[in-house]
Amino acid sequence: MNCPKCNKPNREKAVFCKWCGTNVVTKATEPLRELVGMETVKNQLQDLVNTCESLALRAQRSGISIRLGMDMIITGNTGTGKTKLAGVLQKLLYSSGIIKKPAMKVVDAVDYEEFAKEWEKNTADLKGGILCIENVQKLLPSGAANDINKLDKLFSCMDKWNNDPIVILSGLSSAFKEFLVSNPDVRNRFEYYFDLKDFSMEELKQLCIHELKKRYGIALSEEADAKLERVFKNEMRQKSDDFGNGHLAVKKAADIFANTIKRDPNASVAIPEDIPGKEFRQKSYEEIMAELDEFVGIDEIKATVQKIINKIDFERERKGAGAKREVKDHFLFLGNPGTGKTTIARIFADILNSLEVLPIGQLVEVSRKELVAGYVGQTALAVEKYVDMAMGGVLFIDEAYTLKQGDNDQFGQEAIDTLLKLVEDRRGQFVAIAAGYTKEMGEFLSSNSGMASRFNETVTFRDYKADELTEIFRRQVKKEHLTLDEEAEAFIRNYF
């Protein structure tokens, strides 16, 4: 969280700023302690608190109370803390004197029509408070809203309410963001927008530990703590669209508690045997490089990978003692189909993970089909979605030259523009690999000026030679526990 005075970053648990000594936890900011992770959101909330305090001071000195717009939107995937954030916002605004009611009115989408039946009475009762509508994506039309929809009356009334009550709309990222992009007039009615990202592996672990301690009074042994991290790392590497985020951490805490008291009803410390779930087995750098050495016909690739690693190590040494390994590059993998680009990308991700350059090391594979949508605004959201999924790992864009198909392909260009911004803005937080045929990728790069500077390292995959293909075939036969007779051996030599 940033210091309210000097605006420099501090640890989440800090009480005083390590830079200027200011107390970073005040009565107004105490609710921020309830949020795990969400550093960007906390800084937004700190700005909100500062605004509230400034309004209060001005009112005291002038005797004139001015009410600024504070209507808010919260978007995020399942389990990212939307409901929790809404509750923290209620506490912040109440402690700052902006609202007078100590509790907000929460209306889920399934109850909205019932709430709207007595609209005038229900909304009048909310003066001095907050109206929070959750799962709002269920109330929205798809695409641009040309017809009257269920929220139009709310939007109309917001113009007359003079920012009282404050309105918070909360919903899932995919559908809600798409609606906001297609309807900028709706987005412009709201002064604050909180876009909650998926929890990182460390944040999931901390949330689970917090839940164990607060709800169940259970601590973790050192070994159990380490195992929990490996379990969450495996979950993160297998992450899909329905990833539970905070729900996963809360359920894991409940399962750990159940296992702990089954083992010993009086236990207050969980041990490794109490931690459920499959663990990620971290391969060592030496193990991964040994796997790479087993591949046939990629000596040039091995040398290139080693140069990349040497560059990473050189940059760390140049920064001095205590510096961490970092990768600030994105890569082009050029070559024909079947030359091993995807396989080497997966091994490369494991290498960077083993060196602690990337915390997760997952490989997220995409192509034009996943990144380019059919409506304005959807493409940017799709690209952002897959970049979010690749955070801490590698985004592999297969046949990247197909992203834009001709000069009139606006959606393809939108995908490229969004990708270029994200790979630059999040440089060092993940690695992007654009893969494809050498010739087509060359034309693609020359037609998109920003690509070459963002994807600044190239790995070239040559075609296999005949003797290399023969050896690959032999190894596959052996892997299937089969053998070649003399006639078959002679045939495959001549075939390749």
Side-chain angles (χ1 to χ4, degrees), residues 110-123:
V110 297
D111 302 315
Y112 183 76
E113 288 192 24
E114 188 66 28
F115 176 82
K117 287 179 180 178
E118 297 187 61
W119 181 262
E120 300 301 333
K121 176 183 180 302
N122 287 335
T123 55

Side-chain angles (χ1 to χ4, degrees), residues 330-334 341-342 345 363-372 383 386-387 390 394-404 415-416 418-420 423 430-437 441 444 451 455:
H330 299 292
F331 299 85
L332 297 172
F333 277 21
L334 308 181
K341 296 186 294 295
T342 305
L363 184 78
V364 178
E365 299 179 52
V366 294
S367 61
R368 176 185 168 90
K369 180 179 69 174
E370 286 79 27
L371 299 183
V372 179
V383 174
Y386 284 102
V387 169
V394 173
L395 179 69
F396 184 82
I397 309 163
D398 198 16
E399 298 184 339
Y401 56 87
T402 65
L403 286 180
K404 185 178 180 182
I416 293 169
T418 306
L419 179 65
L420 292 181
V423 297
F430 81 111
V431 167
I433 297 175
Y437 300 151
M441 287 296 288
F444 175 66
M451 289 290 292
F455 293 82

Side-chain angles (χ1 to χ4, degrees), residues 255-322:
D255 291 342
I256 293 170
F257 173 68
N259 290 342
T260 302
I261 61 171
K262 284 177 188 176
R263 174 178 54 82
D264 179 358
N266 299 314
S268 59
V269 177
I271 60 176
E273 290 75 10
D274 301 325
I275 311 295
K278 184 178 179 182
E279 300 174 62
F280 172 70
R281 191 186 81 79
Q282 178 71 62
K283 295 179 182 177
S284 69
Y285 169 72
E286 289 74 21
E287 285 180 296
I288 299 168
M289 294 304 287
E291 288 181 13
L292 193 61
D293 286 338
E294 293 179 4
F295 284 82
V296 175
I298 61 166
D299 289 344
E300 300 91 340
I301 302 299
K302 296 173 190 174
T304 302
V305 169
Q306 189 59 58
K307 286 180 182 177
I308 294 168
I309 295 167
N310 292 344
K311 178 182 176 182
I312 292 170
D313 284 338
F314 173 78
E315 288 298 322
R316 182 181 68 162
E317 292 171 6
R318 187 177 63 83
K319 292 176 182 176

Side-chain angles (χ1 to χ4, degrees), residues 1 24 29 33 76 86 109 136 152 238 287-288 294 300 327 353 399 433 466 490:
M1 184 170 63
V24 295
T29 60
R33 293 286 199 189
V136 74
D152 279 343
Q238 307 301 321
E287 285 180 296
I288 299 168
E294 293 179 4
E300 300 91 340
V327 60
N353 177 231
E399 298 184 339
I433 297 175

Side-chain angles (χ1 to χ4, degrees), residues 39-317:
E39 290 308 312
T40 299
V41 171
K42 286 177 183 176
N43 290 334
Q44 286 181 274
L45 294 177
Q46 182 65 65
D47 290 339
L48 175 60
V49 169
N50 293 343
T51 299
C52 292
E53 290 176 345
S54 297
L55 286 172
L57 286 173
R58 184 180 179 90
Q60 287 176 7
R61 293 169 182 170
S62 67
I64 301 174
S65 179
I66 298 176
R67 190 177 180 91
L68 295 180
M70 290 190 179
D71 297 317
M72 304 175 191
I73 287 172
I74 304 173
T75 58
N77 292 329
T78 299
T80 48
K82 298 182 293 295
T83 299
K84 182 68 174 179
L85 176 57
V88 168
L89 285 166
Q90 160 72 29
K91 292 177 182 178
L92 287 174
L93 294 174
Y94 181 68
S95 64
S96 300
I98 298 298
I99 59 175
K100 305 303 179 185
K101 293 182 181 293
M104 67 181 167
K105 176 66 175 178
V106 179
V107 180
D108 191 272
V110 297
D111 302 315
Y112 183 76
E113 288 192 24
E114 188 66 28
F115 176 82
K117 287 179 180 178
E118 297 187 61
W119 181 262
E120 300 301 333
K121 176 183 180 302
N122 287 335
T123 55
D125 291 342
L126 294 175
K127 289 295 182 181
I130 295 176
L131 170 62
C132 178
I133 302 174
E134 294 189 329
N135 291 309
V136 74
Q137 75 279 352
K138 296 178 181 179
L139 301 173
L140 302 174
S142 59
N146 296 317
D147 299 326
I148 294 175
N149 70 72
K150 295 177 181 178
L151 291 175
D152 279 343
K153 185 172 182 64
L154 170 67
F155 298 145
S156 174
C157 288
M158 286 172 63
D159 294 333
K160 308 168 187 174
W161 283 347
N162 191 29
N163 307 311
D164 186 13
I166 291 172
V167 175
I168 298 177
L169 297 186
S170 173
L172 293 177
S173 288
S174 53
F176 197 6
K177 279 185 174 181
E178 182 183 321
F179 176 81
L180 293 172
V181 169
S182 301
N183 298 274
D185 58 316
V186 173
R187 167 67 183 88
N188 292 335
R189 293 174 186 272
F190 294 82
E191 289 76 22
Y192 290 90
Y193 182 12
F194 301 98
D195 184 26
L196 306 188
K197 300 300 181 184
D198 287 355
F199 285 107
S200 69
M201 178 183 67
E202 182 61 29
E203 289 168 345
L204 283 177
K205 177 184 163 186
Q206 291 305 317
L207 183 58
C208 182
I209 291 172
H210 176 78
E211 186 77 4
L212 275 170
K213 182 179 179 181
K214 183 179 179 182
R215 178 170 294 191
Y216 304 113
I218 296 291
L220 295 179
S221 69
E222 187 175 337
E223 296 80 7
D225 185 284
K227 181 178 178 181
L228 182 62
E229 182 167 316
R230 294 192 296 271
V231 169
F232 276 130
K233 186 168 188 176
N234 186 68
E235 295 275 7
M236 293 290 286
R237 287 176 70 95
Q238 307 301 321
K239 189 175 176 182
S240 61
D241 285 348
D242 59 355
F243 187 67
N245 279 294
H247 297 324
L248 172 66
V250 170
K251 185 179 185 304
K252 188 71 69 178
D255 291 342
I256 293 170
F257 173 68
N259 290 342
T260 302
I261 61 171
K262 284 177 188 176
R263 174 178 54 82
D264 179 358
N266 299 314
S268 59
V269 177
I271 60 176
E273 290 75 10
D274 301 325
I275 311 295
K278 184 178 179 182
E279 300 174 62
F280 172 70
R281 191 186 81 79
Q282 178 71 62
K283 295 179 182 177
S284 69
Y285 169 72
E286 289 74 21
E287 285 180 296
I288 299 168
M289 294 304 287
E291 288 181 13
L292 193 61
D293 286 338
E294 293 179 4
F295 284 82
V296 175
I298 61 166
D299 289 344
E300 300 91 340
I301 302 299
K302 296 173 190 174
T304 302
V305 169
Q306 189 59 58
K307 286 180 182 177
I308 294 168
I309 295 167
N310 292 344
K311 178 182 176 182
I312 292 170
D313 284 338
F314 173 78
E315 288 298 322
R316 182 181 68 162
E317 292 171 6

Side-chain angles (χ1 to χ4, degrees), residues 9 64 81 165 339 354 375:
I64 301 174
T339 50
S354 71
Y375 299 97

